[in-house]
Amino acid sequence: MTLQHSFRLAALLGTTLVATPALAVNGHYVPGIEGLSAAAAPPAGLYYRAYLMRYDIDSFRDAEGDAAPGNSGSVNALAHRFIWMTGKTFLGADYGVETIIPMLDVELDLETPAGRQSFDDYGVGDVFVGPVILGWHGEQWDATFAAGHWFDTADFDADNPASVGKGYGTTMLTLGGMRHLDADRTWSVSALSRYEIKTEQDDTGITPGDSWLVEWGIGHRLANGLELGLVGYDAWQLEADDGAATDAKAERHAVGAEAGYLWPTVGVMLKGAVYHEYDAEGGGLKGLESEGDAIRLQLTKFL
């Protein structure tokens, strides 16, 4: 990397790295929080699901995928999700609703034109309300469609790249499917996609471009009930931000492993996964895109 290139990366960090937390890719949804069997809606009932995630940032990448040296950070997130599958049907699908309340703690150490600076923020993030979950179920397959909106409810500071609020809202559309590969339903492949459409960020006048993310998994359930599998995610910003200083578009790719177990007698399911991001390219509001490793725990309780 040339000295001129290094200066350009430092300038990007000082002027355009805003609207994190770095967990998301140019939007609100956090990749990698679902994993195996994510595209299958649960049976009728009320569910509580908790997502605990730790994301360690190794570097920030520019539009060419080059790292800005000397930058790191971490994000700790706890998201509370409530799902109600109503027992009613629509278009032949089970119908449900949901809401997500995320809690975030963000710390960043960045090399800026003014020198090395530390940024941090914590609190309740933007809240998601989903009035539509549709789940179809076949003998060897499941399919899901959902729609909802991330509301601009959290505090946002355009001068703080660790701000837990985004400063804009996001409409999120979900479509996914899962296929069981054997009659005993011990092998499965699944993919869950999220399409995000953003509103204007009032503090900057910038409208982030649409983005698309796919979480995928290949799983095998053992005779003792333990499910193991390969998981990953791929995320792309599809449109350049309207009004931003750059027309670059962010993307991020990761692969990992997951293990999960269901205790049907107590109505509890626990999953754990690790992800390694092997490629990232910067763009959008942030100018740069984080690249790192994540650990995720997921607890589901039937209420």
Side-chain angles (χ1 to χ4, degrees):
M1 183 185 301
T2 66
L3 183 60
Q4 182 181 10
H5 196 183
S6 297
F7 283 145
R8 183 167 66 85
L9 287 172
L12 277 171
L13 279 167
T15 60
T16 63
L17 184 60
V18 295
T20 55
L23 276 168
V25 181
N26 193 56
H28 278 86
Y29 184 74
V30 176
I33 66 169
E34 290 295 352
L36 297 175
S37 306
L46 180 62
Y47 301 83
Y48 167 71
R49 181 169 290 174
Y51 304 89
L52 180 62
M53 198 161 193
R54 165 78 180 191
Y55 179 51
D56 290 308
I57 302 168
D58 296 327
S59 63
F60 286 92
R61 303 276 170 167
D62 69 0
E64 285 75 42
D66 295 317
N71 300 282
S72 61
S74 65
V75 182
N76 292 296
L78 173 61
H80 305 278
R81 182 183 181 191
F82 297 90
I83 307 167
W84 179 35
M85 299 304 296
T86 64
K88 301 182 182 298
T89 60
F90 179 71
L91 299 178
D94 296 336
Y95 171 72
V97 297
E98 64 179 326
T99 187
I100 303 172
I101 305 170
M103 302 170 64
L104 299 156
D105 184 359
V106 185
E107 297 181 358
L108 301 175
D109 291 312
L110 306 176
E111 290 288 349
T112 74
R116 189 168 187 83
Q117 298 186 56
S118 295
F119 302 89
D120 63 83
D121 195 15
Y122 66 92
V124 178
D126 296 333
V127 172
F128 177 79
V129 177
V132 178
I133 300 175
L134 297 177
W136 293 268
H137 308 283
E139 185 175 344
Q140 295 293 113
W141 60 270
D142 298 272
T144 298
F145 171 82
H149 190 79
W150 294 92
F151 289 89
D152 180 16
T153 56
D155 292 334
F156 170 70
D157 182 356
D159 296 322
N160 183 6
S163 177
V164 299
K166 293 285 189 177
Y168 58 85
T170 297
T171 297
M172 186 170 74
L173 305 176
T174 298
L175 183 64
M178 182 170 71
R179 176 73 180 179
H180 296 281
L181 303 180
D182 60 324
D184 293 331
R185 298 165 67 96
T186 61
W187 284 95
S188 67
V189 294
S190 63
L192 185 71
S193 66
R194 313 278 194 178
Y195 191 91
E196 293 185 293
I197 306 166
K198 294 89 172 185
T199 66
E200 181 179 297
Q201 190 177 60
D202 291 337
D203 287 16
T204 65
I206 296 172
T207 301
D210 292 0
S211 56
W212 183 54
L213 177 146
V214 178
E215 295 178 272
W216 54 267
I218 304 170
H220 178 57
R221 180 169 46 83
L222 305 179
N224 62 6
L226 181 66
E227 186 175 26
L228 303 173
L230 182 70
V231 292
Y233 56 81
D234 300 276
W236 300 268
Q237 180 182 350
L238 301 180
E239 298 177 330
D241 294 347
D242 185 12
T246 174
D247 60 359
K249 291 174 283 190
E251 63 179 83
R252 193 188 300 175
H253 308 275
V255 67
E258 180 176 304
Y261 191 82
L262 171 66
W263 289 267
T265 56
V266 293
V268 171
M269 181 173 64
L270 183 64
K271 293 182 178 183
V274 293
Y275 290 87
H276 171 67
E277 292 181 337
Y278 58 88
D279 185 40
E281 295 179 8
L285 283 168
K286 294 176 287 184
L288 301 173
E289 189 69 25
S290 63
E291 184 177 279
D293 299 292
I295 300 174
R296 181 252 301 159
L297 293 176
Q298 181 192 111
L299 170 70
T300 302
K301 178 69 174 75
F302 175 71
L303 302 176

